[in-house]
Coordinates of all heavy atoms in Angstrom, one line a residue:
G364 N -7.2 11.0 12.8 CA -6.3 9.9 12.6 C -5.6 9.9 11.2 O -6.2 10.3 10.2
V365 N -4.4 9.4 11.2 CA -3.6 9.2 10.0 C -3.9 7.8 9.5 O -3.7 6.8 10.1 CB -2.1 9.4 10.2 CG1 -1.3 9.1 8.9 CG2 -1.8 10.8 10.7
S366 N -4.5 7.7 8.3 CA -5.0 6.4 7.7 C -4.0 5.8 6.8 O -4.0 4.5 6.7 CB -6.3 6.6 7.0 OG -6.1 7.6 5.9
S367 N -3.1 6.6 6.2 CA -2.2 6.0 5.1 C -1.0 6.9 5.0 O -1.1 8.1 5.1 CB -3.0 5.9 3.8 OG -2.2 5.5 2.8
L368 N 0.1 6.3 4.7 CA 1.3 7.1 4.3 C 2.2 6.3 3.4 O 2.3 5.1 3.4 CB 2.0 7.6 5.6 CG 2.7 6.6 6.6 CD1 4.1 6.2 6.1 CD2 2.8 7.4 7.9
K369 N 2.9 7.1 2.6 CA 3.9 6.6 1.6 C 5.2 7.5 1.8 O 5.1 8.6 2.1 CB 3.4 6.6 0.2 CG 2.3 5.6 -0.1 CD 2.7 4.2 0.0 CE 1.6 3.2 -0.3 NZ 0.5 3.2 0.6
V370 N 6.3 6.9 1.5 CA 7.6 7.6 1.6 C 8.4 7.5 0.3 O 8.5 6.4 -0.3 CB 8.4 6.9 2.8 CG1 9.7 7.7 3.0 CG2 7.6 7.0 4.1
S371 N 8.9 8.6 -0.1 CA 9.9 8.6 -1.2 C 11.2 8.9 -0.7 O 11.4 9.0 0.5 CB 9.4 9.7 -2.3 OG 9.8 11.0 -1.8
D372 N 12.2 9.2 -1.6 CA 13.6 9.5 -1.1 C 13.7 10.8 -0.2 O 14.6 10.9 0.5 CB 14.6 9.5 -2.2 CG 14.3 10.5 -3.2 OD1 13.2 11.2 -3.2 OD2 15.1 10.7 -4.1
H373 N 12.7 11.7 -0.4 CA 12.8 12.9 0.3 C 11.5 13.5 0.8 O 11.4 14.6 1.2 CB 13.5 14.0 -0.6 CG 12.7 14.4 -1.7 ND1 12.5 13.7 -2.9 CD2 11.9 15.5 -1.9 CE1 11.7 14.3 -3.7 NE2 11.3 15.4 -3.2
E374 N 10.5 12.7 0.8 CA 9.2 13.2 1.2 C 8.3 12.1 1.9 O 8.5 10.9 1.6 CB 8.4 13.9 0.1 CG 8.2 13.0 -1.1 CD 8.0 13.7 -2.4 OE1 7.6 14.9 -2.4 OE2 8.2 13.0 -3.4
I375 N 7.3 12.6 2.7 CA 6.3 11.7 3.3 C 4.9 12.2 2.8 O 4.6 13.4 2.9 CB 6.4 11.8 4.8 CG1 7.7 11.3 5.3 CG2 5.2 11.0 5.4 CD1 7.9 11.6 6.8
L376 N 4.2 11.3 2.2 CA 2.8 11.6 1.8 C 1.9 10.9 2.7 O 2.0 9.7 3.0 CB 2.6 11.0 0.4 CG 1.3 11.3 -0.3 CD1 1.1 12.7 -0.7 CD2 1.1 10.4 -1.6
S377 N 0.9 11.7 3.3 CA 0.0 11.1 4.2 C -1.5 11.5 3.9 O -1.7 12.5 3.4 CB 0.3 11.5 5.7 OG 0.0 12.8 5.9
G378 N -2.4 10.6 4.3 CA -3.8 10.8 4.2 C -4.4 10.7 5.6 O -4.0 9.9 6.4
S379 N -5.4 11.6 5.9 CA -6.0 11.6 7.2 C -7.5 11.6 7.2 O -8.1 12.0 6.2 CB -5.5 12.8 8.0 OG -6.2 13.0 9.2
V380 N -8.1 11.2 8.3 CA -9.5 11.2 8.4 C -10.1 12.6 8.4 O -11.2 12.9 8.2 CB -9.9 10.4 9.7 CG1 -11.4 10.4 9.9 CG2 -9.4 9.0 9.7
D381 N -9.2 13.6 8.6 CA -9.6 15.0 8.6 C -9.8 15.5 7.2 O -10.2 16.7 7.0 CB -8.6 15.9 9.3 CG -7.3 16.0 8.7 OD1 -7.1 15.6 7.5 OD2 -6.3 16.6 9.3
G382 N -9.7 14.7 6.2 CA -9.9 15.0 4.8 C -8.8 15.7 4.1 O -8.9 16.2 3.0
Q383 N -7.6 15.7 4.7 CA -6.4 16.3 4.0 C -5.4 15.3 3.5 O -5.2 14.3 4.2 CB -5.7 17.2 5.1 CG -6.6 18.4 5.6 CD -6.3 19.7 5.0 OE1 -5.6 19.8 3.9 NE2 -6.7 20.8 5.6
V384 N -4.8 15.6 2.4 CA -3.7 14.9 1.9 C -2.5 15.8 2.2 O -2.4 17.0 1.7 CB -3.8 14.6 0.4 CG1 -2.5 14.0 -0.1 CG2 -5.0 13.7 0.1
R385 N -1.5 15.4 3.0 CA -0.4 16.2 3.3 C 0.9 15.6 2.8 O 1.1 14.4 2.8 CB -0.2 16.3 4.8 CG -1.4 17.1 5.5 CD -1.2 17.2 7.0 NE -2.3 18.0 7.6 CZ -3.5 17.6 7.9 NH1 -3.8 16.3 7.7 NH2 -4.4 18.4 8.4
R386 N 1.8 16.5 2.3 CA 3.1 16.1 1.8 C 4.2 16.9 2.5 O 4.2 18.1 2.4 CB 3.1 16.2 0.3 CG 4.5 15.8 -0.3 CD 4.4 15.8 -1.9 NE 4.3 17.1 -2.4 CZ 5.3 17.9 -2.7 NH1 6.5 17.5 -2.5 NH2 5.0 19.1 -3.2
Y387 N 5.0 16.1 3.2 CA 6.1 16.8 3.9 C 7.4 16.7 3.0 O 7.8 15.5 2.7 CB 6.4 16.1 5.2 CG 5.2 16.1 6.2 CD1 4.2 15.2 6.1 CD2 5.2 17.1 7.1 CE1 3.2 15.2 7.0 CE2 4.1 17.2 8.1 CZ 3.1 16.3 8.0 OH 2.1 16.3 8.9
D388 N 7.9 17.8 2.5 CA 9.1 17.8 1.7 C 10.3 17.9 2.7 O 10.5 19.0 3.3 CB 9.1 18.9 0.7 CG 10.3 18.9 -0.3 OD1 11.4 18.5 0.2 OD2 10.1 19.1 -1.5
L389 N 11.0 16.8 3.0 CA 12.0 16.8 4.0 C 13.3 17.6 3.6 O 14.0 18.1 4.5 CB 12.3 15.4 4.4 CG 11.1 14.5 4.8 CD1 11.6 13.1 5.0 CD2 10.4 15.1 6.0
R390 N 13.5 17.7 2.3 CA 14.7 18.5 1.8 C 14.5 20.0 2.1 O 15.4 20.7 2.5 CB 14.9 18.3 0.3 CG 15.6 16.9 0.0 CD 15.8 16.9 -1.5 NE 16.1 15.5 -1.9 CZ 15.9 15.0 -3.1 NH1 15.4 15.8 -4.0 NH2 16.3 13.8 -3.4
M391 N 13.3 20.4 1.7 CA 13.0 21.9 1.8 C 12.4 22.3 3.2 O 12.3 23.5 3.5 CB 12.0 22.2 0.7 CG 12.4 21.8 -0.7 SD 13.9 22.6 -1.2 CE 13.3 24.3 -1.4

Side-chain angles (χ1 to χ4, degrees):
V365 177
S366 58
S367 175
L368 63 84
K369 294 290 184 293
V370 179
S371 75
D372 60 351
H373 68 284
E374 58 201 338
I375 298 171
L376 181 70
S377 72
S379 169
V380 181
D381 67 9
Q383 298 260 16
V384 176
R385 293 178 176 84
R386 182 171 65 90
Y387 298 87
D388 189 319
L389 305 175
R390 282 182 194 157
M391 307 297 292

